Amino acid sequence: MLKKQGHLSIVSQQQIAEQIYEITCQGPLVTAMTNPGQFVHIKIDQYEDLLLRRPLSICDVNTEEQTLTMLYRVEGNGTKRLSEKQVHSQIDVLGPLGQGFPVEETKPGEVALLVGGGIGVPPLYYLSKQLKARGVEVIHVLGFQSKEAVFYEKEFNELGPTYVTTVDGSHGIKGFVTDAIHEQNLTFDTLYSCGPNAMLKELTERFADKRAFLSLEERMGCGIGACLACVCHLTNDPEGASYKKVCTDGPVFKVGEVVL
Amino acid sequence: MLKKQGHLSIVSQQQIAEQIYEITCQGPLVTAMTNPGQFVHIKIDQYEDLLLRRPLSICDVNTEEQTLTMLYRVEGNGTKRLSEKQVHSQIDVLGPLGQGFPVEETKPGEVALLVGGGIGVPPLYYLSKQLKARGVEVIHVLGFQSKEAVFYEKEFNELGPTYVTTVDGSHGIKGFVTDAIHEQNLTFDTLYSCGPNAMLKELTERFADKRAFLSLEERMGCGIGACLACVCHLTNDPEGASYKKVCTDGPVFKVGEVVL
Amino acid sequence: MSRLAIELPGLKMKNPIMPASGCFGFGKEYANFYDLSELGAIAVKATTVEPRYGNPTPRLAETKAGLLNAIGLQNPGLDKVCNEELPWLEKFDVPILANVAGSEMEDYIQVAERVSKNKNVTALELNISCPNVKKGGIAFGTVPEVAAELTREVKRASSVPIYVKLSPNVADIVSMAKAVEQAGADGLSMINTLLGMRIDLKTRKPILANQAGGLSGPAIKPVAIRMIHQVSQAVDIPIIGMGGITTVDDVIEFFLAGASAVAIGTQNFVDPYACPNLIEQLPKKLDEMGVDHVSELVGGSWKELCNVR
Amino acid sequence: MSRLAIELPGLKMKNPIMPASGCFGFGKEYANFYDLSELGAIAVKATTVEPRYGNPTPRLAETKAGLLNAIGLQNPGLDKVCNEELPWLEKFDVPILANVAGSEMEDYIQVAERVSKNKNVTALELNISCPNVKKGGIAFGTVPEVAAELTREVKRASSVPIYVKLSPNVADIVSMAKAVEQAGADGLSMINTLLGMRIDLKTRKPILANQAGGLSGPAIKPVAIRMIHQVSQAVDIPIIGMGGITTVDDVIEFFLAGASAVAIGTQNFVDPYACPNLIEQLPKKLDEMGVDHVSELVGGSWKELCNVR
Ligand SMILES: Cc1cc2nc3c(=O)[nH]c(=O)nc-3n(C[C@H](O)[C@H](O)[C@H](O)COP(=O)(O)OP(=O)(O)OC[C@H]3O[C@@H](n4cnc5c(N)ncnc54)[C@H](O)[C@@H]3O)c2cc1C
Ligand SMILES: Cc1cc2nc3c(=O)[nH]c(=O)nc-3n(C[C@H](O)[C@H](O)[C@H](O)COP(=O)(O)OP(=O)(O)OC[C@H]3O[C@@H](n4cnc5c(N)ncnc54)[C@H](O)[C@@H]3O)c2cc1C
Ligand SMILES: Cc1cc2nc3c(=O)[nH]c(=O)nc-3n(C[C@H](O)[C@H](O)[C@H](O)COP(=O)(O)O)c2cc1C
Ligand SMILES: Cc1cc2nc3c(=O)[nH]c(=O)nc-3n(C[C@H](O)[C@H](O)[C@H](O)COP(=O)(O)O)c2cc1C
Ligand code: FES
Ligand code: FES
């Protein structure tokens, strides 16, 4: 029985874009977080008005220093309260959870296209680092609403070519990530993506026949497969009783495997 | 319309006896807190699992420095969370509330006997200071469970003769405050008291015909007279529909005025 | 007309926010904190024929995100309410929703008849749902036919429109609502408190002297929203929504569910300025949502057209 | 016998703590965290005749101190439960309380008959109260006569004792309890979730795809305590209490109210170790309270003799 739950201590926390925070925390639990695309489930404080844990993706890990970095957007009460937590205070973390991106599907020398939208960008960072370390050529396409919402552009640039799009054109290429892929004529051996459903749907339509892996988001209860809050239908049985759980079978699925 | 609600900043907090904490906080609201026996109603934090304010007595005030000191016992969730608050953080305070001890009922040169039981002791401190400043001779009888629960003995001693009792005899006189009053043959012109109901009942029986003022405790909602949570019957109409509210008509009542 | 002003039967309100009955006395205490004329309306404490002391103390117990109360309809009685409490409120420019309670049908009729004659009382709220009185009261609130009969009689006796305050402690709130609508109710107030209890581990007894009490506060908000969502689609009379409102977002949620105005209960105890604060915050929230008038939101969660965006 | 061990119809438990149905699947996930043999019992997820996918997502929404769910009885169906899920659990030394659901009486009977034959299923829990199925289900839970008939038929079909799981969404929980007791129920499970809703301010629609859902968690605890306090005084069969338990103090409160065992639902999601932690803390709490055996606390809030201090 593996111990998957523990307290991490916050070592830094800062705002890095509009509503976007970067938090780094430390503890032995981190050593198990080796698979990009996995997530952790966080109990932000002990006050019971905020009952459930909150799922956040692993954005970066330093296993030697046992530090975990996450990026999050302040959406509601939970992320707001997380943003108010002070350095040195603790958070209760369950994880790593779920199935991450299959790094090994891309061979050294091949090209991986990493496509992220908004708060779907964070898990791609750890993924990109691992792919690069493996000798894979990484290209990033990162979509945001506007200039103010852009983050980690520099960090991704250090790992490989990075195209940033904004919906309003205030920074980078105007439009959606799919526009950029088209305009820039980007080709790849493997596609890895995380972002809003609409984006994932669009990518599925275009690249259904490609080697592609998509990370999904769904409201979660337990995060470990017991509550059935996070299920989705299978593409080959879209109305039936068969299903996958985003928390344990995902969040990363092969393109076309599940109904978006 | 007076502004009775505001935020005070915690300037110190320390444990002074078993489960007993002393907290001092600062802010302009404090300047109005001139009447001992009044209380404040505190919203400990903004988390809504702990919904209501908590009533705490004014134990000491420095109007010049705008500091308010309170002593409290960790009973349940609210006081526990208060004890975890850090210096410099804020508490939301409503007050001063209620009718305090009538200091002016005791003339300079007269003797006032101040009798406190357990967590009823705190308001007597500010009272004693004011009586003494007025030229009243103050005698204190303070009852506790045991040695570990005793607090502020030195502080009271500096103001006047102080008899401490403990139920188990581990410190001071063994027994109840009433035993001490009897044994020591203490006489007085005015009696002021705050403590558990059983103690107040005993004092009422003995001193019903004296000039005596008792401070009551009752579970409170609003603290300002609107919710009718804290009512008590009048002694002259013990079954009827007339009533007093502990929060606004009290917490201090003349001995024999209300049903304990 | 201001973007907050609304008009419901008997209630011409500057804004859609009022304190809930029993959580504001007859206004005197809160008048120390702000000008009561700022309020959309005031729902005053329940009035019965005779003065009542109510239940023994303790009358309150806190629960997670909730409050249990067993005040027991303590009030100064019909005479004093009509001769002192209501006249005192006349100096404020605010309509009064007078909460009517009793043990027998006759009590309700007597209170309704007389209270509705006070000049600032522009509507009555029929409290058929108070969980804290032992006789009669509770049956009125859980049997549609009984509630309907009471509504009919009180409606006849009253010289102003009547709102029936529904109890959430029923299996089928829609039947209750429809029954009182058919019986002539001009509006609904919902929800009253859920029946609950807390036991003290030290004494091993219920904390409340009355044992059970009414649960209010944020804990019950989802129940209120669900009931208002159901009922507002089934009746044609307006609903004054309440149950756990603490923020302006909560206010909006009640409108979207189907309430036409809202009442603030427990939160007044937490923050004496709760009502004026919410009134102040409301226009800003409407701006954020791109809404001109608060009434555009009513029933927005189930009315097709309202769901812009 | 240990101070925690209890014996209820069909359930010989090492301790009085079990996970609640629907909050623990069929145990597989939590087996990654601890040895399931530590538990007093396991209430497994509701089983229906056919496999069910349940409701569309989102299926969860958080409320203040509460959780709304509309899972919709998703389960792998009778065949798979009997052939795979239950046999998998046989390796643990723990009695299984199998939760039985359906839309028609016949469904319940069919599930009960077959599930009760599994060798580790020592009792059934009749889910007459799930608020998340549209057909039939809800009526079973709110009409005493219907609940009684169902109980009688299932009791006849089952080879093990049956516990009827009561819905709190009723005006008179005592009548429900008495009706199913008379119909042969061996015990009661209470409470299931309260019906609630949350509306999203951005989309202006209910968050749950199913619109309404069942409210669980600390918010509903006072309602559960009140109902158990009432029912335990009115019936002679034992009660498995649940609704908002998060701490060992909550466990004690349920015993004092009148429960003979407790189930932990939502808290498993917050803390996967919730059940073993409570089991570990219980003896220390009994020491603190000066209680030898946990069963001494049952009904302590209303039984005179129990109120030592
Ligand atoms: C596998 C996974 C990975 C994620 N990774 C990230 C990340 O790296 N950075 C980031 O900013 N966000 C991430 N999210 C989304 C994040 O979990 C939500 O934004 C967050 O839970 C919102 O909580 P809140 O209290 O601020 O909002 P509230 O709206 O107050 O939350 C209320 C409830 O709804 C749930 N909820 C609300 N929005 C979402 C959502 N979009 N997805 C899932 N649950 C939601 C919450 O978990 C909570 O239970 C991830 C979600 C999933 C499922
Ligand atoms: C006028 C007045 C003055 C007080 N002064 C002091 C003081 O100076 N120092 C001190 O330690 N205590 C004082 N108390 C008691 C103090 O208010 C309670 O101990 C405190 O509210 C307990 O809160 P809790 O959250 O820790 O306990 P919980 O039991 O979790 O509280 C739950 C609810 O019960 C109420 N409650 C519980 N116990 C009491 C009680 N004994 N009296 C009133 N309400 C209670 C709480 O306010 C809260 O609403 C005073 C009470 C009153 C009425
Ligand atoms: C202390 C208290 C007293 C109440 N008294 C009454 C009353 O006299 N008449 C009535 O109709 N409702 C009464 N209520 C119910 C409230 O008006 C309101 O319906 C309920 O509290 C839910 O709203 P809230 O969650 O905002 O408090 C009372 C509620 C509380 C908390
Ligand atoms: C996600 C979820 C699923 C549930 N599924 C079932 C179920 O299948 N059968 C059932 O009888 N109760 C079900 N329940 C109700 C619980 O068993 C329990 O009665 C309720 O949640 C109250 O307990 P709690 O507050 O500890 O969660 C479910 C509850 C939740 C939160
Ligand atoms: S979140 Fe509970 S099963 Fe996925
Ligand atoms: S606490 Fe509300 S009236 Fe006294």
Side-chain angles (χ1 to χ4, degrees):
Chain A
M1 256 153 269
L2 47 231
K3 177 81 184 163
K4 278 213 163 189
Q5 182 252 334
H7 286 80
L8 300 186
S9 168
I10 300 175
V11 295
S12 77
Q13 156 116 281
Q14 59 171 327
Q15 189 167 359
I16 59 169
E18 197 177 47
Q19 302 279 62
I20 308 285
Y21 288 76
E22 179 192 63
I23 189 168
T24 300
C25 43
Q26 191 175 40
L29 207 65
V30 171
T31 37
M33 302 181 184
T34 51
N35 186 192
Q38 285 190 299
F39 68 98
V40 294
H41 214 25
I42 299 180
K43 175 108 184 91
I44 290 162
D45 55 40
Q46 82 268 36
Y47 307 119
E48 291 185 315
D49 50 344
L50 200 72
L51 201 60
L52 295 176
R53 291 173 180 270
R54 300 294 193 261
L56 289 183
S57 301
I58 295 170
C59 167
D60 198 11
V61 168
N62 183 327
T63 42
E64 262 167 47
E65 303 199 342
Q66 303 191 337
T67 57
L68 160 70
T69 299
M70 294 166 287
L71 307 184
Y72 62 93
R73 181 163 59 206
V74 170
E75 281 288 332
N77 264 328
T79 45
K80 175 144 190 299
R81 271 152 75 157
L82 183 59
S83 74
E84 289 160 1
K85 293 218 80 163
Q86 305 288 322
V87 168
H88 298 314
S89 65
Q90 308 259 313
I91 46 176
D92 173 348
V93 172
L94 182 65
L97 301 176
Q99 311 302 323
F101 289 108
V103 177
E104 66 294 344
E105 291 271 339
T106 312
K107 295 191 197 68
E110 288 188 336
V111 178
L113 183 65
L114 278 56
V115 180
I119 204 60
V121 167
L124 301 181
Y125 184 65
Y126 192 33
L127 172 65
S128 182
K129 279 174 88 173
Q130 289 204 4
L131 288 168
K132 189 161 185 204
R134 195 177 150 77
V136 171
E137 201 182 310
V138 285
I139 307 174
H140 315 106
V141 182
L142 312 176
F144 299 94
Q145 277 306 115
S146 68
K147 188 181 155 106
E148 290 73 29
V150 176
F151 56 88
Y152 263 44
E153 185 176 8
K154 188 173 121 287
E155 284 81 350
F156 277 99
N157 248 320
E158 281 166 12
L159 298 170
T162 302
Y163 303 89
V164 169
T165 69
T166 54
V167 179
D168 65 359
S170 53
H171 185 77
I173 301 164
K174 184 179 158 87
F176 297 103
V177 288
T178 40
D179 299 329
I181 298 171
H182 184 76
E183 276 176 32
Q184 305 290 323
N185 248 317
L186 300 177
T187 58
F188 55 86
D189 297 296
T190 316
L191 174 76
Y192 296 100
S193 181
C194 182
N197 240 351
M199 185 188 101
L200 299 183
K201 277 187 181 155
E202 180 90 21
L203 291 172
T204 302
E205 267 174 38
R206 298 234 201 148
F207 305 115
D209 52 340
K210 292 282 213 164
R211 201 201 289 158
F213 302 92
L214 311 179
S215 181
L216 272 59
E217 223 179 67
E218 190 51 79
R219 286 191 175 232
M220 290 186 178
C222 64
I224 60 167
C227 73
L228 302 180
C230 67
V231 297
C232 52
H233 284 287
L234 300 183
T235 312
N236 61 16
D237 180 25
E239 307 275 296
S242 59
Y243 62 95
K244 292 279 176 183
K245 301 177 209 169
V246 173
C247 67
T248 47
D249 301 318
V252 176
F253 293 96
K254 242 181 123 125
V255 69
E257 185 180 1
V258 297
V259 179
L260 292 174
Chain B
M1 256 154 271
L2 46 231
K3 177 80 182 161
K4 278 216 164 187
Q5 182 253 333
H7 285 81
L8 300 187
S9 169
I10 300 175
V11 295
S12 77
Q13 157 117 282
Q14 58 171 331
Q15 189 169 356
I16 57 168
E18 197 177 46
Q19 302 280 62
I20 308 285
Y21 289 75
E22 179 193 63
I23 189 168
T24 300
C25 45
Q26 191 173 39
L29 206 66
V30 171
T31 37
M33 301 181 184
T34 50
N35 187 191
Q38 285 190 301
F39 67 99
V40 294
H41 214 24
I42 299 181
K43 176 109 183 89
I44 290 161
D45 55 42
Q46 81 269 37
Y47 307 119
E48 291 185 315
D49 51 344
L50 199 73
L51 200 60
L52 295 177
R53 291 173 180 270
R54 299 293 192 262
L56 288 183
S57 301
I58 296 171
C59 167
D60 198 11
V61 168
N62 182 327
T63 42
E64 262 168 45
E65 304 199 341
Q66 303 191 338
T67 56
L68 160 69
T69 298
M70 294 165 289
L71 308 184
Y72 62 93
R73 181 164 59 207
V74 170
E75 281 288 332
N77 263 328
T79 45
K80 175 142 190 300
R81 271 151 79 156
L82 183 59
S83 74
E84 288 160 0
K85 294 218 81 163
Q86 304 288 321
V87 168
H88 298 314
S89 65
Q90 307 260 313
I91 46 175
D92 173 348
V93 172
L94 182 64
L97 301 175
Q99 312 301 324
F101 289 108
V103 177
E104 67 292 345
E105 292 272 339
T106 312
K107 295 191 198 69
E110 287 188 337
V111 178
L113 182 66
L114 278 56
V115 180
I119 205 58
V121 167
L124 301 182
Y125 184 65
Y126 193 32
L127 172 65
S128 182
K129 278 174 88 172
Q130 288 204 4
L131 288 169
K132 187 159 186 204
R134 194 178 152 76
V136 172
E137 201 182 310
V138 285
I139 305 174
H140 316 105
V141 182
L142 312 177
F144 299 95
Q145 277 307 113
S146 67
K147 188 179 152 103
E148 292 72 30
V150 176
F151 57 88
Y152 263 43
E153 186 176 6
K154 188 173 120 290
E155 285 81 351
F156 277 100
N157 248 320
E158 281 166 14
L159 298 171
T162 301
Y163 304 88
V164 168
T165 68
T166 55
V167 179
D168 65 359
S170 53
H171 186 75
I173 301 164
K174 182 177 160 83
F176 296 104
V177 289
T178 39
D179 299 328
I181 297 171
H182 185 73
E183 274 176 34
Q184 305 291 322
N185 247 320
L186 300 177
T187 58
F188 56 84
D189 297 296
T190 317
L191 173 77
Y192 296 100
S193 182
C194 182
N197 240 352
M199 185 187 101
L200 299 183
K201 277 187 182 153
E202 179 92 20
L203 291 173
T204 302
E205 266 173 40
R206 297 234 202 150
F207 305 115
D209 52 339
K210 292 283 213 163
R211 200 202 288 160
F213 302 92
L214 312 179
S215 181
L216 271 58
E217 225 179 64
E218 190 51 79
R219 288 192 174 233
M220 290 185 179
C222 64
I224 61 167
C227 73
L228 303 180
C230 67
V231 297
C232 51
H233 284 287
L234 299 185
T235 312
N236 61 18
D237 180 25
E239 308 274 296
S242 59
Y243 62 95
K244 292 280 176 182
K245 303 177 208 169
V246 172
C247 68
T248 47
D249 300 318
V252 176
F253 293 96
K254 240 180 126 128
V255 68
E257 186 179 0
V258 296
V259 179
L260 291 175
Chain C
M1 205 166 93
S2 121
R3 64 200 297 207
L4 296 187
I6 56 165
E7 201 167 334
L8 304 184
L11 297 171
K12 213 178 149 137
M13 296 166 66
K14 293 184 202 76
N15 61 65
I17 290 175
M18 69 180 89
S21 176
C23 302
F24 207 74
F26 289 88
K28 278 205 179 97
E29 294 78 17
Y30 288 93
N32 292 325
F33 289 88
Y34 56 88
D35 179 359
L36 302 187
S37 304
E38 290 178 32
L39 296 167
I42 299 177
V44 293
K45 178 88 191 140
T47 301
T48 56
V49 176
E50 300 297 333
R52 288 206 198 190
Y53 180 81
N55 291 321
T57 58
R59 293 174 168 192
L60 286 192
E62 203 186 62
T63 68
K64 294 280 161 62
L67 168 64
L68 285 169
N69 91 80
I71 305 296
L73 293 186
Q74 174 159 17
N75 80 95
L78 188 52
D79 278 346
K80 192 157 174 224
V81 167
C82 292
N83 297 334
E84 295 176 28
E85 305 290 358
L86 293 170
W88 182 85
L89 276 165
E90 280 173 23
K91 62 172 158 285
F92 301 102
D93 171 28
V94 61
I96 305 297
L97 179 65
N99 192 277
V100 174
S103 313
E104 312 291 331
M105 174 110 57
E106 288 63 41
D107 304 343
Y108 280 92
I109 295 173
Q110 194 180 337
V111 175
E113 189 161 10
R114 198 156 145 219
V115 160
S116 66
K117 292 206 180 94
N118 280 269
K119 91 175 187 224
N120 52 350
V121 172
T122 60
L124 299 186
E125 189 177 44
L126 214 60
N127 184 355
I128 60 167
S129 52
C130 180
N132 295 327
V133 275
K134 290 279 168 59
K135 280 192 292 178
I138 197 69
F140 289 133
T142 54
V143 185
E145 296 70 34
V146 182
E149 196 192 337
L150 183 71
T151 304
R152 213 172 289 119
E153 295 301 321
V154 171
K155 173 80 185 164
R156 193 170 299 155
S158 170
S159 31
V160 296
I162 65 172
Y163 291 73
V164 179
K165 184 151 182 183
L166 300 181
S167 164
N169 302 294
V170 297
D172 180 2
I173 190 81
V174 171
S175 306
M176 289 297 302
K178 282 183 157 169
V180 302
E181 179 184 36
Q182 268 167 23
D186 301 282
L188 301 170
S189 256
M190 56 194 290
I191 57 175
N192 211 317
T193 52
L194 281 166
L195 267 170
M197 181 185 286
R198 255 198 77 185
I199 295 169
D200 186 318
L201 262 53
K202 282 196 205 116
T203 63
R204 302 190 188 177
K205 292 282 180 197
I207 292 183
L208 300 178
N210 190 49
Q211 303 206 324
L215 182 65
S216 61
I220 70 166
K221 199 188 77 176
V223 176
I225 293 289
R226 185 265 297 181
M227 289 189 163
I228 293 169
H229 184 263
Q230 284 182 299
V231 168
S232 61
Q233 296 179 66
V235 301
D236 293 316
I237 49 178
I239 296 173
I240 302 171
M242 70 202 76
I245 295 179
T246 69
T247 66
V248 71
D249 282 15
D250 293 336
V251 172
I252 303 288
E253 200 176 338
F254 273 81
F255 281 110
L256 292 173
S260 296
V262 297
I264 317 299
T266 308
Q267 186 64 9
N268 290 295
F269 307 156
V270 180
D271 175 10
Y273 299 99
C275 291
N277 282 348
L278 291 171
I279 293 166
E280 196 191 313
Q281 289 159 19
L282 200 45
K284 195 167 154 265
K285 189 74 201 176
L286 295 182
D287 286 344
E288 247 178 74
M289 298 184 73
V291 169
D292 285 333
H293 194 278
V294 71
S295 58
E296 291 166 33
L297 294 169
V298 178
S301 65
W302 50 265
K303 280 184 193 151
E304 267 320 308
L305 279 174
C306 193
N307 287 283
V308 289
R309 238 189 80 97
Chain D
M1 203 167 95
S2 121
R3 63 199 298 205
L4 297 186
I6 55 165
E7 201 168 334
L8 305 185
L11 298 170
K12 212 178 149 135
M13 298 166 64
K14 292 184 203 74
N15 62 66
I17 291 175
M18 69 180 89
S21 175
C23 302
F24 207 74
F26 289 88
K28 277 205 179 96
E29 295 76 17
Y30 288 92
N32 292 324
F33 289 87
Y34 56 88
D35 178 0
L36 303 186
S37 304
E38 290 178 32
L39 296 167
I42 298 178
V44 293
K45 178 88 190 138
T47 301
T48 56
V49 176
E50 300 297 332
R52 288 206 196 189
Y53 180 81
N55 291 320
T57 57
R59 293 173 167 192
L60 285 193
E62 203 187 61
T63 68
K64 294 280 161 61
L67 168 64
L68 285 169
N69 91 80
I71 305 295
L73 292 186
Q74 174 159 15
N75 79 95
L78 188 52
D79 278 345
K80 195 161 172 219
V81 167
C82 291
N83 298 334
E84 296 177 28
E85 306 290 358
L86 292 170
W88 181 87
L89 277 165
E90 280 172 23
K91 60 172 159 281
F92 301 101
D93 170 29
V94 60
I96 305 297
L97 180 65
N99 192 276
V100 174
S103 312
E104 312 291 331
M105 175 109 59
E106 286 64 39
D107 303 345
Y108 280 92
I109 294 173
Q110 194 179 337
V111 175
E113 190 161 8
R114 202 160 141 217
V115 161
S116 66
K117 293 209 180 91
N118 281 269
K119 91 174 185 222
N120 52 349
V121 171
T122 60
L124 299 186
E125 188 177 44
L126 213 61
N127 183 355
I128 59 167
S129 52
C130 180
N132 294 326
V133 275
K134 289 281 169 54
K135 280 191 290 178
I138 197 69
F140 289 133
T142 55
V143 184
E145 295 72 32
V146 183
E149 197 192 335
L150 183 72
T151 303
R152 211 172 290 118
E153 294 300 321
V154 172
K155 173 80 184 163
R156 192 171 301 154
S158 169
S159 32
V160 296
I162 66 172
Y163 291 74
V164 180
K165 184 150 180 183
L166 300 182
S167 163
N169 302 293
V170 296
D172 180 2
I173 190 81
V174 171
S175 306
M176 290 297 302
K178 283 184 157 169
V180 301
E181 179 184 37
Q182 269 166 21
D186 302 282
L188 300 170
S189 254
M190 55 194 290
I191 58 175
N192 211 317
T193 52
L194 281 166
L195 267 170
M197 181 185 286
R198 254 198 77 185
I199 295 169
D200 186 318
L201 261 53
K202 282 197 204 114
T203 63
R204 302 190 187 177
K205 292 281 182 198
I207 292 183
L208 300 178
N210 190 50
Q211 303 206 323
L215 182 64
S216 61
I220 70 167
K221 200 188 77 176
V223 176
I225 293 288
R226 185 265 297 180
M227 289 187 164
I228 293 168
H229 183 264
Q230 285 182 298
V231 168
S232 61
Q233 296 178 66
V235 301
D236 293 316
I237 49 178
I239 297 173
I240 302 171
M242 69 202 75
I245 295 179
T246 69
T247 65
V248 71
D249 282 15
D250 294 336
V251 172
I252 303 288
E253 200 176 338
F254 273 81
F255 280 110
L256 291 173
S260 296
V262 296
I264 317 297
T266 307
Q267 186 65 8
N268 290 294
F269 308 157
V270 180
D271 176 9
Y273 299 98
C275 291
N277 282 348
L278 291 172
I279 293 166
E280 196 191 313
Q281 289 159 19
L282 200 46
K284 195 167 154 265
K285 189 74 201 178
L286 296 182
D287 286 343
E288 247 178 72
M289 297 183 75
V291 170
D292 285 333
H293 195 278
V294 70
S295 59
E296 292 166 33
L297 294 168
V298 177
S301 65
W302 49 266
K303 279 184 195 152
E304 268 320 309
L305 279 175
C306 194
N307 286 283
V308 287
R309 231 188 80 100

